[in-house]
Amino acid sequence: MKGQIAFVSIAAPLFCLLLLSCGRDSNRLYGHWKLLPGKSVSIDPWADLVLDIHGDGTHVTIVKRYSGGNTHDRRVDSMTVNTEGNEEIVPIPPGRWLGEVSMGIYYGPETKRHVLARMSDSNNEMHIDTRETLETAQGETDVEVKETYALVSDGSTVQLSENRSTRRSGPPLTYTFTRATQ
Amino acid sequence: MSIVRYVFLSMFLILPLQLPLHSGQTRHAYFMQLPDNWEINGQLPTQAFLVSLQGLANDGAPRLYFCYPKNWPYGYTKNLKEYYEKTYGFDFKELLRPEDALHTFRDHVKGYVVWDPAVRTSLTVAFTVAGLGRAVVVSPDQIPMAEHEGLQKVEDFRGKFQGKSDYEIYTWAFTQYWHRCSHEFLTYMGGVAGNSMQPGIADLGIYHRSFFTDLSCDPKDTIEYALADKIMGQMKPMTSFVLGWHSYAKDLEAMYITLISKHVLRQEGLNTWPNMSFTTQLSLTPGFKFKNHHNIVPGQKYVPEKKVYIACVQTDGLGLGAWLDPDRGTFPYTWETTDGNSLIHAPALFEYFYTTATPNDYFIGALSGPSYMYPRAIPAEYLPKVIAMNRDLMKSLDLRIYGIMERSHFGDRYVGNTNLPKGIVDAYYEGLPEAIGFIFGYGPGHTYEVRNHAPFLSYDYYLSAERPAEDAIADLKELAVMNPKRPYYLVMHVRETSGINRVSGILKQLGPEFEVVPLDILMKMAGEDPTFKTRYLEEGLQ
């Protein structure tokens, strides 16, 4: 009996870890994704956008890598947030706003991003709601962004749709990514 | 000698020198149409030969002019030729073959220098030799043509630089030639790299007997950078010129302009700037005064309404971009006189632009210095002197608004923070007291100020040529949402390769809240009713 208890006490956590690990691997949103420009809204002046999504079941790290005409023109937007519906505050380095670098909008020295992230039960959809205060020519403005990362059924494509409180016209901000190797 | 006789003789001697070229007499010159190929194994040997010949042929008088192919960055060569015919009385006779051109200008050439098509950099060095030795630049295949005219070989680079790095080649050339070259001019034969070269400005470099190079200005390329730094360090600040452009294969524009600004030199052109050995010798027509199309009526009040006021400024200076666009003049557009040095080197070129400007074309001073500089890179003791030079240029060119750009920490419209600290904004206000406004940036900037009703604004939007129109319209409308106070002053920097018709199409779809106005009117209203927040480069940021 003592031996059985010992076995269970060791095996159970291992089983849970295995489940978690399987869960991690089974989230098919995780991976390395490359933008398909022909199926996305323009990202001009950037030439490329690469998306990395990784997580451990409770937290997710989203990295967007923008690149332009030469090796110096690189920007990385990275954040790690929990996906259990608790708001987190993520600091952002100062510089031009990545929403559209051709607009005179800046992240100030104190800019923070308030983030609420949720993963769907099926792990095929992730919702990220953010609020941030940005610097403009006239002062500051609050912007709310709702992003949905949705895995397309074949598992090889992710569609990102973005809804920005300040963007009230123009083509829908939708981006299509295809799975890529690192 | 009686005073009457002295005056008469003086007039007789001096007048011919001062007579403009357009006083009724016909001036004879030649022109050629250049092919549209700049590859080493294509037409580059012919182009290099002709451009070197042009630099020699034009020594002493404008004699040889080239019409560049349709897609050349400076698209005006055909129009300018017609303008010179009409305004300066030129009668151009066409030359069809390189050998005809050499024969025609044989008396202006002392020899030939052979470059090695296997080592591209040998051509750059050959241009230096061309200026010093009054020699045409030839490829091995062109030697018979040169010798047919009885020319002697000045230098032969075949095999000389095989296996050597650019640093080694330029170090050798520096030791060999720099002491004999003009130290007032340095020519950067950059631009496209690899199998091509577009040496449009080589004629001017040869004309001035300058040293040619394309050394890297990237501080990480330590040895090339050190040599470039050393060469520029031996040129006189404020009065010396760097002609041409950096190599797209070696460094960034920001690195090149930063190094030039550090030495307080004056950048001229791109490497493609055409026919400058010809144009530099044409004076202004008699009595010509530069007159800008100012829109502000003295004494009139400009009270802004609750609107978004938008003004368009083309990037990258006159001669590039949309000047020849048939839609120019249909709505207010602003043009940067970035090549301010041209007032010295090519006044006729400025006269051409001012003469052909419509009432909707408005000129502003640019760019940071008498041509293109970065104020944070200019040594502090020189900045007021550079700005004083700008003040003179603004007076001469009838300019009231000044444009400033800053990338000396290698940020650009994608990355980094390219804004200005307060001290530099102070220097421009103090040095240009007559200015009615300043505009800052290339991509959008974030430096704002207003003093004595003269605003210091930043570009709030950069319109690239590639941005789809519907996205650009949405961007501009979103900016109006993010800047909710009215009036909102929105200055848009338009990439020079954007057509005016495209810009007009975008502006027409912005809706009734937007109003397109000339830049000086926008500045006037912004100075009277500022709704922007004063900002400078924050401490601790680059």
Side-chain angles (χ1 to χ4, degrees):
Chain A
M1 185 66 183
K2 209 172 176 181
Q4 280 180 324
I5 291 169
F7 172 77
V8 169
S9 64
I10 293 167
L14 281 173
F15 183 69
C16 288
L17 276 173
L18 185 67
L19 275 180
L20 272 175
S21 166
C22 288
R24 212 177 296 164
D25 290 343
S26 68
N27 191 326
R28 293 189 302 160
L29 267 175
Y30 295 172
H32 184 65
W33 305 93
K34 188 168 169 46
L35 186 80
L36 293 172
K39 295 183 175 177
S40 305
V41 72
S42 166
I43 59 164
D44 177 80
W46 302 108
D48 294 301
L49 172 58
V50 172
L51 177 66
D52 281 299
I53 306 174
H54 293 287
D56 63 4
T58 57
H59 286 78
V60 66
T61 300
I62 303 157
V63 183
K64 292 177 184 172
R65 297 176 203 277
Y66 298 83
S67 56
N70 64 57
T71 53
H72 288 259
D73 296 333
R74 300 278 185 274
R75 287 282 296 275
V76 177
D77 185 23
S78 174
M79 63 178 180
T80 299
V81 290
N82 77 72
T83 50
E84 296 173 324
N86 305 320
E87 183 176 284
E88 294 205 38
I89 296 174
V90 180
I92 308 171
R96 286 206 185 85
W97 180 51
L98 275 165
E100 177 47 63
V101 291
S102 292
M103 292 163 65
I105 309 296
Y106 276 66
Y107 301 116
E110 306 291 326
T111 303
K112 289 182 175 56
R113 184 179 285 161
H114 297 253
V115 188
L116 200 61
R118 300 177 308 282
M119 189 70 77
S120 69
D121 292 341
S122 62
N123 281 346
N124 284 340
E125 233 176 61
M126 180 169 60
H127 301 275
I128 311 270
D129 297 348
T130 61
R131 281 184 297 117
E132 50 199 19
T133 302
L134 302 170
E135 290 187 352
T136 67
Q138 293 185 340
E140 282 78 36
T141 191
D142 292 329
V143 178
E144 293 180 12
V145 181
K146 293 182 186 300
E147 288 180 316
T148 301
Y149 296 78
L151 191 73
V152 175
S153 54
D154 67 356
S156 64
T157 307
V158 161
Q159 287 210 325
L160 165 60
S161 60
E162 182 180 337
N163 195 320
R164 201 153 73 211
S165 60
T166 48
R167 192 148 183 110
R168 296 168 189 172
S169 64
L173 300 177
T174 56
Y175 308 84
T176 303
F177 296 85
T178 186
R179 193 179 289 278
T181 50
Q182 286 281 5
Chain B
M1 192 187 324
S2 74
I3 187 75
V4 174
R5 196 174 165 203
Y6 176 80
V7 168
F8 176 77
L9 270 178
S10 299
M11 283 176 67
F12 186 76
L13 286 169
I14 292 166
L15 266 181
L17 298 175
Q18 293 189 327
L19 269 179
L21 298 172
H22 40 83
S23 57
Q25 83 270 35
T26 300
R27 299 288 306 221
H28 297 289
Y30 292 85
F31 85 97
M32 291 186 79
Q33 174 65 52
L34 298 185
D36 192 8
N37 182 298
W38 302 89
E39 294 180 353
I40 290 175
N41 48 6
Q43 295 287 322
L44 179 61
T46 302
Q47 315 271 34
F49 162 76
L50 288 172
V51 175
S52 68
L53 178 64
Q54 185 182 37
L56 305 175
N58 288 335
D59 195 0
R63 300 183 182 97
L64 181 57
Y65 187 92
F66 294 142
C67 289
Y68 276 71
K70 192 181 170 192
N71 295 322
W72 195 250
Y74 295 86
Y76 55 51
T77 54
K78 188 170 173 289
N79 304 68
L80 206 55
K81 174 177 162 284
E82 289 165 4
Y83 174 78
Y84 290 159
E85 286 167 342
K86 187 178 154 198
T87 311
Y88 288 82
F90 275 99
D91 172 33
F92 288 100
K93 184 177 176 186
E94 185 168 15
L95 293 167
L96 295 173
R97 303 181 310 157
E99 46 269 52
D100 297 339
L102 181 57
H103 186 71
T104 302
F105 295 107
R106 170 64 184 82
D107 291 347
H108 298 269
V109 184
K110 288 186 178 166
Y112 68 89
V113 48
V114 189
W115 64 285
D116 184 350
V119 183
R120 184 183 182 276
T121 307
S122 72
L123 177 54
T124 310
V125 179
F127 284 131
T128 304
V129 176
L132 293 178
R134 312 321 282 165
V136 283
V137 166
V138 297
S139 66
D141 293 344
Q142 294 167 324
I143 293 174
M145 174 180 68
E147 294 189 340
H148 179 73
E149 290 294 337
L151 296 176
Q152 299 294 309
K153 190 191 293 179
V154 171
E155 189 62 87
D156 189 342
F157 291 144
R158 282 178 290 179
K160 188 171 182 65
F161 302 131
Q162 283 281 1
K164 295 200 184 316
S165 67
D166 277 7
Y167 171 72
E168 290 170 315
I169 296 170
Y170 286 129
T171 300
W172 178 86
F174 178 77
T175 309
Q176 204 71 14
Y177 303 121
W178 172 246
H179 64 284
R180 292 167 54 203
C181 290
S182 163
H183 287 197
E184 290 174 16
F185 295 90
L186 172 69
T187 304
Y188 250 78
M189 194 39 64
V192 295
N195 189 41
S196 297
M197 186 187 286
Q198 295 184 320
I201 204 168
D203 65 310
L204 187 63
I206 290 167
Y207 178 86
H208 286 302
R209 294 167 170 80
S210 80
F211 188 82
F212 282 71
T213 187
D214 71 344
L215 282 162
S216 174
C217 298
D218 184 345
K220 288 180 183 160
D221 295 337
T222 49
I223 55 173
E224 282 202 32
Y225 178 88
L227 183 55
D229 192 39
K230 180 178 174 179
I231 293 171
M232 291 189 199
Q234 294 184 18
M235 300 172 75
K236 195 174 175 190
M238 303 282 291
T239 55
S240 302
F241 299 85
V242 180
L243 314 174
W245 200 235
H246 75 109
S247 166
Y248 297 139
K250 290 189 172 182
D251 53 20
L252 298 177
E253 170 183 331
M255 296 164 175
Y256 170 69
I257 297 297
T258 298
L259 187 59
I260 288 172
S261 303
K262 175 188 155 189
H263 291 289
V264 206
L265 304 176
R266 298 163 67 172
Q267 150 70 21
E268 273 281 34
L270 293 178
N271 57 296
T272 48
W273 212 16
N275 293 311
M276 288 306 295
S277 63
F278 187 100
T279 299
T280 194
Q281 299 181 67
L282 302 181
S283 55
L284 295 175
T285 56
F288 180 82
K289 288 259 184 280
F290 291 102
K291 188 159 173 20
N292 205 351
H293 290 287
H294 299 294
N295 299 284
I296 296 169
V297 178
Q300 186 170 321
K301 281 201 166 184
Y302 293 88
V303 182
E305 298 174 32
K306 302 290 181 195
K307 283 187 168 185
V308 179
Y309 291 102
I310 184 167
C312 304
V313 182
Q314 187 197 263
T315 68
D316 292 75
L318 287 162
L320 293 168
W323 188 260
L324 296 172
D325 192 314
D327 294 308
R328 179 171 62 83
T330 52
F331 65 97
Y333 223 70
T334 301
W335 308 86
E336 299 170 18
T337 56
T338 304
D339 298 311
N341 297 323
S342 300
L343 198 56
I344 305 164
H345 289 145
L349 200 54
F350 262 130
E351 184 174 338
Y352 163 73
F353 289 117
Y354 273 67
T355 303
T356 54
T358 73
N360 268 329
D361 295 316
Y362 185 68
F363 297 111
I364 61 170
L367 190 59
S368 311
S371 54
Y372 178 15
M373 301 175 103
Y374 297 146
R376 292 181 71 196
I378 298 170
E381 68 271 26
Y382 279 105
L383 186 59
K385 297 175 189 170
V386 166
I387 295 173
M389 210 182 283
N390 295 340
R391 189 180 183 190
D392 292 341
L393 279 168
M394 288 182 73
K395 278 180 190 163
S396 302
L397 292 171
D398 190 24
L399 308 173
R400 295 180 187 168
I401 296 171
Y402 196 74
I404 301 156
M405 182 173 163
E406 168 54 48
R407 285 185 180 173
S408 61
H409 290 68
F410 310 152
D412 59 18
R413 65 194 171 96
Y414 302 88
V415 299
N417 191 320
T418 57
N419 289 299
L420 291 179
K422 181 174 178 295
I424 286 179
V425 174
D426 292 346
Y428 281 97
Y429 269 111
E430 286 161 19
L432 299 174
E434 297 89 0
I436 63 164
F438 299 87
I439 183 68
F440 172 73
Y442 185 89
H446 209 40
T447 304
Y448 289 90
E449 171 63 290
V450 61
R451 294 182 197 171
N452 297 324
H453 304 290
F456 194 111
L457 303 180
S458 287
Y459 291 111
D460 220 10
Y461 189 64
Y462 172 82
L463 178 63
S464 77
E466 292 77 27
R467 186 78 172 150
E470 62 269 29
D471 294 274
I473 293 161
D475 291 343
L476 291 163
K477 288 182 173 177
E478 187 172 15
L479 273 171
V481 171
M482 296 171 118
N483 291 279
K485 292 179 213 160
R486 299 292 178 267
Y488 165 42
Y489 308 103
L490 201 173
V491 187
M492 177 165 76
H493 212 193
V494 181
R495 176 70 176 172
E496 85 274 9
T497 43
S498 283
I500 289 179
N501 193 34
R502 168 179 137 79
V503 178
S504 161
I506 289 168
L507 296 173
K508 281 176 185 163
Q509 293 184 64
L510 292 176
E513 193 188 16
F514 285 75
E515 183 178 337
V516 181
V517 290
L519 184 64
D520 55 344
I521 298 287
L522 183 145
M523 287 286 181
K524 178 80 175 164
M525 293 190 293
E528 296 297 329
D529 186 7
T531 53
F532 43 87
K533 182 176 177 180
T534 298
R535 287 188 197 281
Y536 304 107
L537 179 69
E538 297 92 346
E539 273 185 37
L541 290 182
Q542 287 207 327

